Structure formats: structure tokens, C-alpha cells
Amino acid sequence: MSINKVKGTYDVLPSESYLWQALEQKIRDILGVYNIKEMRTPIMEYSDVFHRNSELSDMVTKETYDFDDRGDRRLTLRPEGTAGIIRSYVENKLYASQELEKVYYIGPNFRYERPQKGRYRQFYQFGVEAIGTINPALDAEMIILAYDFIKRLGLKGVRVRINSLGDETSRANYQEALKNYFMPHKDELCDDCQIRIDKNPLRILDCKIDQNHHAVKNAPTPQDYLSVESRAYFKEVLEHLNAAKISYEIAPKLVRGLDYYSHTVFEIEADIEGFGAQNVLGGGGRYQKLVSELGGPDLGGIGFAFGMERLLLALEAENVDFAKEKDLDAYVIVFTDELKKVATSMLYELRLANLVADTNYTGKAFKGQLKQALRNHAKYLIILGEDEYQKGMVAVKNTETEQQEEVLISKVKKYLVEKLEK
Ligand code: AMP
């Protein structure tokens, strides 16, 4: 019997969840500033949403969790966020009411990969999609947003790497050129890349096994095959980035693993202690066929995604102080069963005033209760002792200054609210 966590998954424990909450809050705050609304789609979709007929990535062919439900429907746990968003965009005809729909999502994805540090089978991504319009200013906005987000998290050495695959024709010409270029080297490439030569030779450039092969290193780049219009489009994107004084680096070999990109592709990197080449925090690109492939009109979009575990690991490695656990305002120390009822009513009153308050339920002695209060970083202790209670009072102690005062029970809330405001 297996009652451990599933391989490649992890638990977020109570002591860690504030980090996730803070990251999510940061995302929501910044995306709000860019006037981008959240969209929530199911974590499972009919398999066809992901398993379409075009040249498929490894992520879709080898790594998805596919299963039949009890009604014999073929379903897939989403391996990425974009396809589900586009499915919903088409199904809800969002294009009919808005020329441009800008949305973000936060949620888990599932990929059957080999688990290692920072790589899981269930992992979180947040991403943005801007669907319905093709315009270089919009591409620039997405890149600026991704860059701004990583900067605001407090990471250092943030860099944009950018490239263009060009329009459909440029991309097709490049693909053909790559195919001819790699053909003489076919036998030297890994098994997957031998298949990729015919199906999607762009992905050979991303191959982890063949990355040091001289043919891969010296391969032609998309830049060599850009049509005049595509070149002009890319130039416009760069000029928008220049206007906003965003520094970027043109990365001629950047194609990104997914097969549906055209025109702009980009990645965001930062300097992160101990990450080495793993310093790519996220990236994305423009897609022109996805909406029509999923049954919608011929509209393009652009999007990007960041892996959230990797962001948290990066923040930890760089010692960025971006989140703080909420401390207790008050901890009620109480001994007798009779006084526990006084504590119950006092806690309710404090919480109604939105003070973060707690008490002890395990009948510990004073020392044990004090320890628990301090472990929770309580700012004030409220000590409900028998003698004070006879006078209608409690002892209230500031844990930082160690100053203690006797306060009327009926005035405790007012007393603490005033003290905490200062
Ligand atoms: P991708 O969707 O493959 O372009 O990945 C975008 C980002 O998601 C990457 O930069 C990673 O940070 C993150 N990511 C992708 N796969 C995993 C995984 N299996 N576990 C954790 N993070 C992942």
C-alpha cells in the first residue's frame, strides 16, 4: 500500500505557505497594474485540447497524464496553461466582445518528467496571454511586464533575451533550411533528434543531448530567413523596448521548445547564486495558429509563463526578503477551566477587531504556553490569572519591551488596538 506523496510532487507545509501566498499576491498586484484580469480554467481538459495534430513537443507526446474517466472520455491533466486558456477563449467567444483579451492564470501543471531539484511532476506556473491582436507594441508590453515582474521581486541581473522566428513563411523557409542542414548529420544526432529533422527541426536547437554537437552549434539561425515584413516587425518590437529603456540581448539561437511559436520569442534570466545555466526563470512568445487550431477565428496571441517553484528557489538562493509570516498580535495564557471561558469570549472579541489572536488548548503549564506564544512571535501576552480576574483585570505584557500592565478585562481590546496602532 502506498500512502506517501506521489513521486515528483511535494507538500506545502503550514510553515511555508506564507511564501506561496506572498508570491501569488505579488503576481496579482503587478498584473493588476497592467490591467490584466485573472482567468481560471480546469486542470483537466479533453485530450484533444493538447494532443492536436501539429508537430508535437515532447511535453505533449511523452509527458502528459492521460486517462479515461468513468464515462470513457479521454482526458488530460494540463501540462501547460496556454491551451486551456485558448480553448476557453474560443468556447466563450471572447473575441466577439474584445479585440484584445489580456488574461493571467496561476495554477498547477502536470508533466511526467524525471523529478530533480526544482523539477516536479506537479508544478505551478503563472502566465499571461494577450489574445486577438498582432502588434509589435503588444509584444513589447508582454516583455516589459515579464521583466518588470522579475525586477520587482527583487532579483538581480535581470536580462531579456529575445529573438524572432518570423511569420509563417519565414519560419517554414527556416525549417526547410534546417532540415537540409541537419540531414548529412542525421546519424550523429540522438534518436529523438533524428525524428525531429523531419517533424520539427527547430527543436534540435533546444536538445539537451545534442547541444554541444558542432552541427547544432553552427546551425543557421532564424534571423537569416526573416522576410522583409518579419524583419520590420521585429525591429518595431525592439524600438518599443528601446523607448522604455529596457535592455535586452538578441539571442539568434533562441527558438524555445514549443512548436507553435512565430515572430517574437523571449526569455527572462537573472543572476542567481548556484543556479548556473538554470537561470532562465520563464519565457514565452507569439503564436499565430493556436486559436484557429482550437476551432476559433484566425487570430494571434502572445504569452509567457514563469515556473513558481523556480521563482521561490531563486528568491531563497538570493536571500531576498520578500515575504513575512504574519505574527500574532496577542496570545492568551490561561490555566483553569473556568477562566478558559473568559478566554474564549476575549479571543472572539479581539478577532472581531481583526487582531491576530490565539490561545492554548493542550493544558500546558505557564512555561509551555509562553514558549508557544514566543514561537508564534506574539507581540502581546494576555495572562488570565485567578488573582487578577477577581479584580476584573488581566496582565498584558509586551514581549519586546517586557513591560507588563494590569488592564481591565473590558478594556483589553481597546488597549491592544491603541498599542498596536503605534
Ligand atoms: P515551459 O512551459 O516548459 O516553457 O517552462 C516554463 C517554466 O516553467 C520554466 O522556466 C520552469 O521554471 C517551469 N517548469 C517547467 N517544467 C517544470 C517542472 N517539471 N517542474 C518545475 N518547474 C517547471
Side-chain angles (χ1 to χ4, degrees), residues 374-393:
L374 296 180
R375 198 183 300 133
N376 283 286
H377 306 288
K379 293 177 193 136
Y380 285 91
L381 304 176
I382 300 171
I383 305 157
L384 257 171
E386 194 65 54
D387 294 348
E388 290 89 348
Y389 180 67
Q390 294 307 329
K391 298 183 279 174
M393 312 281 275

Side-chain angles (χ1 to χ4, degrees), residues 59 79-80 109 111 113 118-125 256 258 261 280-283 305-311:
M59 173 181 82
E80 52 98 25
N109 293 335
R111 294 184 196 171
E113 294 191 80
R119 196 151 276 277
Y120 306 93
R121 290 183 173 173
Q122 174 176 338
F123 64 97
Y124 273 72
Q125 277 187 345
R256 296 195 45 83
L258 296 184
Y261 288 127
V280 178
L281 294 169
F306 282 98
M308 292 170 68
E309 290 80 5
R310 194 174 289 187
L311 289 178

Side-chain angles (χ1 to χ4, degrees), residues 134 168 260 262-263 286-290 292 298-301:
I134 172 159
E168 295 296 308
Y260 49 64
S262 57
H263 282 294
R286 173 163 285 285
Y287 42 83
Q288 288 305 118
K289 285 191 300 187
L290 211 47
S292 57
D298 186 19
L299 292 170

Side-chain angles (χ1 to χ4, degrees), residues 84-132:
I85 296 279
I86 305 290
R87 192 270 309 145
S88 174
Y89 173 82
V90 171
E91 189 167 348
N92 292 291
K93 297 194 171 54
L94 299 185
Y95 49 84
S97 51
Q98 292 264 30
E99 279 174 19
L100 173 64
E101 192 71 64
K102 290 197 278 187
V103 297
Y104 75 90
Y105 58 86
I106 300 177
N109 293 335
F110 304 84
R111 294 184 196 171
Y112 196 80
E113 294 191 80
R114 197 166 61 80
Q116 47 191 297
K117 189 173 161 65
R119 196 151 276 277
Y120 306 93
R121 290 183 173 173
Q122 174 176 338
F123 64 97
Y124 273 72
Q125 277 187 345
F126 102 82
V128 177
E129 307 295 341
I131 320 161

Side-chain angles (χ1 to χ4, degrees), residues 21 31 33 36 98 177 186-187 195 222 265 267 368 372 386 399:
Q21 290 171 349
L31 277 287
V33 169
I36 299 179
Q98 292 264 30
K186 188 167 181 177
D187 296 344
I195 299 169
V265 288
E267 285 181 346
Q372 205 174 336
E386 194 65 54
T399 55

